[in-house]
Amino acid sequence: MGRAPCCDKANVKKGPWSPEEDAKLKSYIEQHGTGGNWIALPQKIGLKRCGKSCRLRWLNYLRPNIKHGGFSEEEDNIICSLYVSIGSRWSVIAAQLPGRTDNDIKNYWNTRLKKKLLGKHRKELQARNKGNGVVKQENNSSLLLQENSVQQQPCWPQIPAPPLSSYTSQTPSFNDQDSIRKLLIKLGGRFSDDYEPIGLNNVQFPQGSFSSTQQIQEEQVHVSSSGCMNSIGNGNSQVQFGQSNNEYCSELVQGEVSFSSVGIGEMVSTNDYSQRLLGGLEFLYGEEMINDKIMGGGCASSCCGQTTNWGETSSVMYPPLVASSFEGVMPRQSAFQELSYP
DNA sequence: AAACGCATCAACCGCCCACGT
DNA sequence: CACGTGGGCGGTTGATGCGTT
C-alpha cells in the first residue's frame, strides 16, 4: 500500500507557472510567510497547485536574491570540489553558493560542467595517447583509465562534508596553506592538537586558483595502498589519508596533520552509500571502477595491497574529506548536524 | 525556410527522514 | 513503538530554444 498523495492530483494544475500565479504566491509569502505548511498554502491563496510545487517555485525562483545562470569560474571550482568530496548533495553544495539553488546547480552540473570537464579530459588523454601509443577504446571509462588500473580497487573514501557557511566568503582558490587548513577543518577534518601551521608545508594542493580543471588535471593523484591508504600528491609531496587494514583512520600520516577517527573502510563498503556518492562520477573514475567499488565492498576488502597509479587518470580530485565523529552511513538530512567541529 | 538533433532548464516524481500523535 | 504526514532531497522528464544541415 502506497502512501497517500500530498494533494489531490486530479485537481491541481501542472506545468509552467504563470506570472499571475507567481505574483499570488510571492505576495502571500512576503506578507505572511509560508505558515509552516506548504500543503495548506495553495488552498489559502486560491492556487490550484500542489504544495510541493509552490515550495519549489518559491525556493527556486521567487525567493529574493536568486541568481540564475552565469556561473563563475570560482563557482565551478567549488561545485567540482564539493561534488568530488560529497557527491551529488546538491542542497549542501548550494548552501555554499549564495543565491544558487540546488536545482540550478544540479542542472548546471549535468548539462555543462560534467561535459566541460570530460571534454578537457579527453583532449588531454588523447594528446597523451598519441605520444605513448596506448590503445584506448571509445567509451569514457576506458579513456579515463590505464589498461591495468581497471582491475584495481583504488581507495577513495567519500565522506560527507559539514556546512561551509563561510566557504564562499573566503577566496575559494586554495592558494594559501592556511586557507587550505581552514577549509579542511570546515569540511570536517580535525587537526591534531599540536598542530602547527608549518606542518602543512608537506601538504600541497594545486596552487593558485585552479582555472576550471586544467591545473588540477596536471595533478598526479596517486592512490597507494597498503591497505586503505590514500595519498594524494602533486609530484614531490603527498597527503595521505586513512590507515591500513581497515583500522580507523586516526591520523593523517604525512604532513603532521591528523584527522579524527573515521572508519573509512566501513563507509566505503556501504554499497548504497557508495553508490550514491559515486554515482555520476563515471566520467571521472570510469564505470567499471565505479561498479567495482560499489559491488566489491569498498576498499577495505578489495584494494588492500594494491597500488593504483592515478597519474594517468588525473582528474578533479581533492583530498578525501574526513569527518569527525562519523559513524557509519550518515542519514541524508541530518548528516551534517551530527558532526562535531573544532 | 524547413527539418532535425542537441542543449538547457523548469518542473514533476517518488523516496527518505523527522516529527507529531 | 507504530503510524501518518509534511518537508526536503536527488533523479528524471518534457517543453522549449538554438544551432546545424
Side-chain angles (χ1 to χ4, degrees):
Chain A
M1 198 177 100
R3 54 172 299 178
C6 65
C7 54
D8 180 6
K9 298 283 180 193
N11 210 19
V12 296
K13 187 184 167 192
K14 287 184 179 181
W17 281 64
S18 67
E20 292 77 23
E21 288 175 313
D22 282 347
K24 264 189 183 177
L25 181 61
K26 194 175 182 192
S27 72
Y28 181 86
I29 293 177
E30 280 172 352
Q31 286 174 25
H32 305 97
T34 64
N37 189 343
W38 284 108
I39 303 298
L41 192 141
Q43 282 122 42
K44 282 184 193 169
I45 57 178
L47 275 179
K48 289 192 170 182
R49 289 278 180 177
C50 172
K52 286 187 170 190
S53 182
C54 293
R55 174 184 162 271
L56 202 69
R57 186 68 186 170
W58 170 255
L59 291 177
N60 287 341
Y61 300 96
L62 302 177
R63 201 162 42 118
N65 304 321
I66 292 292
K67 282 190 278 183
H68 288 292
F71 280 81
S72 69
E73 201 82 339
E74 279 185 5
E75 287 173 314
D76 284 2
N77 293 336
I78 292 169
I79 294 167
C80 288
S81 58
L82 285 174
Y83 186 90
V84 169
S85 300
I86 64 174
S88 56
R89 311 284 285 268
W90 303 118
S91 57
V92 176
I93 296 171
Q96 311 316 316
L97 300 171
R100 299 294 185 187
T101 68
D102 54 355
N103 207 36
D104 234 15
I105 293 170
K106 182 171 58 183
N107 281 332
Y108 181 59
W109 172 266
N110 285 331
T111 59
R112 299 198 209 174
L113 213 43
K114 204 153 84 170
K115 289 170 189 167
K116 185 175 163 185
L117 297 179
L118 185 57
K120 287 195 175 191
H121 213 101
R122 273 189 166 153
K123 272 187 188 172
E124 187 182 278
L125 286 167
Q126 278 167 0
R128 265 188 217 168
N129 293 342
K130 272 187 183 175
N132 63 19
V134 174
V135 178
K136 295 289 177 183
Q137 296 169 18
E138 279 305 306
N139 74 44
N140 297 341
S141 59
S142 297
L143 277 170
L144 290 166
L145 298 170
Q146 263 189 315
E147 282 172 311
N148 56 1
S149 66
V150 174
Q151 303 299 323
Q152 298 171 343
Q153 306 288 326
C155 307
W156 198 263
Q158 300 285 337
I159 300 157
L164 309 174
S165 55
S166 59
Y167 191 67
T168 49
S169 66
Q170 302 169 354
T171 173
S173 59
F174 305 103
N175 57 0
D176 70 274
Q177 304 294 351
D178 201 48
S179 63
I180 291 163
R181 172 176 167 267
K182 283 177 189 166
L183 175 63
L184 287 171
I185 290 170
K186 286 177 192 299
L187 288 170
R190 185 179 66 79
F191 293 90
S192 60
D193 294 339
D194 56 352
Y195 162 78
E196 291 177 66
I198 195 163
L200 275 170
N201 288 342
N202 291 334
V203 183
Q204 304 230 344
F205 293 88
Q207 295 297 304
S209 155
F210 27 80
S211 70
S212 209
T213 58
Q214 203 161 9
Q215 190 163 352
I216 302 151
Q217 287 174 347
E218 287 164 10
E219 283 281 291
Q220 292 290 307
V221 180
H222 185 87
V223 178
S224 98
S225 66
S226 47
C228 202
M229 180 83 74
N230 296 338
S231 62
I232 295 173
N234 63 344
N236 58 1
S237 64
Q238 284 191 332
V239 184
Q240 299 186 333
F241 296 84
Q243 202 165 4
S244 61
N245 299 328
N246 199 23
E247 288 175 7
Y248 278 20
C249 311
S250 58
E251 292 176 274
L252 181 63
V253 179
Q254 216 164 321
E256 300 170 25
V257 182
S258 72
F259 291 93
S260 60
S261 300
V262 172
I264 286 177
E266 285 179 26
M267 289 181 294
V268 175
S269 67
T270 305
N271 290 350
D272 177 56
Y273 193 64
S274 302
Q275 189 155 17
R276 185 183 296 162
L277 288 171
L278 294 170
L281 281 175
E282 292 84 354
F283 79 103
L284 288 173
Y285 298 126
E287 285 174 17
E288 289 175 69
M289 187 177 293
I290 296 288
N291 290 337
D292 284 349
K293 282 173 71 69
I294 293 166
M295 303 309 293
C299 67
S301 61
S302 55
C303 74
C304 298
Q306 294 176 348
T307 298
T308 302
N309 185 348
W310 286 66
E312 291 298 312
T313 65
S314 61
S315 183
V316 187
M317 293 175 180
Y318 303 121
L321 304 165
V322 183
S324 55
S325 309
F326 184 97
E327 293 183 12
V329 177
M330 204 63 87
R332 188 162 66 194
Q333 286 177 329
S334 61
F336 304 131
Q337 287 127 25
E338 293 173 14
L339 295 169
S340 63
Y341 308 113

